[in-house]
């Protein structure tokens, strides 16, 4: 499974046109990760990206801005472990809650507390985490083996690294830098999916927030 993660600060061309090109390739989802924006600015951007994703039939996942997801009636959100704990009761109204984790302990806690899926990282060196050592494939494998919900790798993943991430046990990959900078975004999806056994028609709608989990 392939998920694109946005970062308009990495994009040197028209951001919305790039998102549209990425969506045209039919990834499984796009995470709108623009955490430096105000809530109002993020919502204005999310409305435009939602239109693009809806037209392409691609799932949009809202990152961090829970109120924006509610306002736009988007049922999928991605949050940090801290926000997952802080807003647990609010998050139960969403059908999908993706939680970013950085340790096996966090992964197990998120799983036991009702997360739909986990995003584990960062796996490889990446400019987005400059100076911070990557956790590597062994970490990813440990996380995958410790939980019963899907785990997606993130951090420095490019099309030539997808296969080894999947072989480590991940359900899929989250790709940001290459998605925001590659010269042919509309072709990137087919190239990446050729490294996996996943069918490009597969969706992420089989991940649901477990409202009975956690206390």
């Amino acid at each position: 499974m392939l998920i694109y993660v946005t970062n308009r600060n990495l994009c040197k061309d028209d951001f919305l046109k790039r998102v549209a090109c990425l969506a045209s390739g039919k990834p499984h989802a796009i995470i709108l990760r623009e955490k430096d924006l105000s809530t109002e600015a993020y919502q204005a951007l999310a409305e435009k990206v939602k239109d693009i994703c809806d037209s392409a039939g691609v799932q949009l996942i809202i990152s961090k801005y829970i109120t924006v997801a509610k306002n736009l009636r988007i049922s999928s959100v991605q949050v940090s472990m801290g926000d997952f704990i802080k807003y647990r009761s609010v998050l139960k109204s969403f059908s999908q809650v993706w939680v970013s984790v950085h340790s096996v302990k966090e992964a197990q806690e998120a799983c036991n507390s009702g997360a739909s899926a986990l995003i584990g990282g960062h796996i490889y060196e990446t400019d987005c985490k400059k100076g911070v050592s990557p956790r590597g494939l062994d970490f990813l494998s440990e996380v995958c083996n410790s939980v019963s919900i899907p785990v997606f790798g993130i951090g420095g993943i490019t099309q030539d690294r997808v296969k080894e991430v999947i072989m480590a046990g991940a359900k899929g990959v989250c790709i940001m830098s290459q998605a925001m900078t590659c010269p042919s975004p509309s072709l990137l999806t087919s190239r990446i999916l050729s490294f996996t056994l996943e069918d490009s028609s597969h969706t992420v709608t089989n991940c649901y927030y477990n409202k009975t989990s956690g206390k």
Side-chain angles (χ1 to χ4, degrees):
M1 293 174 65
L2 170 62
I3 297 175
Y4 289 132
V5 183
T6 74
N7 184 337
R8 73 193 192 289
N9 295 317
L10 294 178
C11 183
K12 303 304 181 184
D13 49 15
D14 186 282
F15 174 70
L16 291 176
K17 286 184 179 178
R18 176 165 289 265
V19 171
C21 285
L22 291 170
S24 72
K26 301 293 184 183
H28 303 95
I30 292 177
I31 296 177
L32 186 62
R33 180 189 176 275
E34 304 299 331
K35 59 183 183 179
D36 60 323
L37 293 176
S38 66
T39 301
E40 294 76 14
Y42 183 92
Q43 178 159 328
L45 181 62
E47 289 172 352
K48 296 175 182 177
V49 174
K50 182 179 184 297
D51 287 342
I52 292 171
C53 289
D54 286 348
S55 295
V58 173
Q59 182 181 17
L60 175 61
I61 301 173
I62 294 295
S63 177
K64 177 184 173 181
Y65 297 86
I66 300 171
T67 55
V68 172
K70 281 184 169 292
N71 291 342
L72 300 184
R73 298 183 179 179
I74 295 172
S75 62
S76 301
V77 293
Q78 176 267 320
V79 294
S80 66
M81 186 64 191
D83 281 352
F84 180 60
I85 294 171
K86 184 176 181 180
Y87 301 111
R88 187 175 298 170
S89 60
V90 177
L91 291 169
K92 288 186 177 181
S93 64
F94 292 92
S95 63
Q96 294 182 28
V97 180
W98 301 67
V99 182
S100 296
V101 297
H102 304 95
S103 70
V104 171
K105 182 179 179 181
E106 284 187 349
Q108 292 174 332
E109 183 179 354
C111 177
N112 293 335
S113 299
S116 308
L118 305 178
I119 299 176
H122 61 292
I123 307 304
Y124 303 97
E125 287 188 8
T126 171
D127 287 343
C128 295
K129 300 283 185 181
K130 226 163 195 169
V132 182
S133 298
R135 293 179 171 83
L137 292 171
D138 287 342
F139 156 78
L140 180 62
S141 182
E142 287 179 19
V143 168
C144 293
N145 290 329
S146 71
V147 297
S148 58
I149 57 177
V151 178
F152 294 74
I154 195 171
I157 299 175
T158 54
Q159 64 182 46
D160 57 325
R161 290 170 166 169
V162 169
K163 188 173 182 179
E164 60 189 18
V165 172
I166 299 299
M167 290 181 68
K171 180 69 174 176
V173 295
C174 296
I175 295 182
M176 180 171 68
S177 294
Q178 189 174 38
M180 293 291 102
T181 60
C182 70
S184 301
S186 59
L187 299 177
L188 184 61
T189 303
S190 59
R191 292 171 181 167
I192 291 173
L193 289 175
S194 69
F195 286 89
T196 76
L197 299 177
E198 294 289 341
D199 187 312
S200 63
S201 65
H202 191 73
T203 67
V204 293
T205 54
N206 58 336
C207 301
Y208 294 98
Y209 189 91
N210 184 354
K211 297 179 182 179
T212 61
S213 297
K215 302 294 184 182

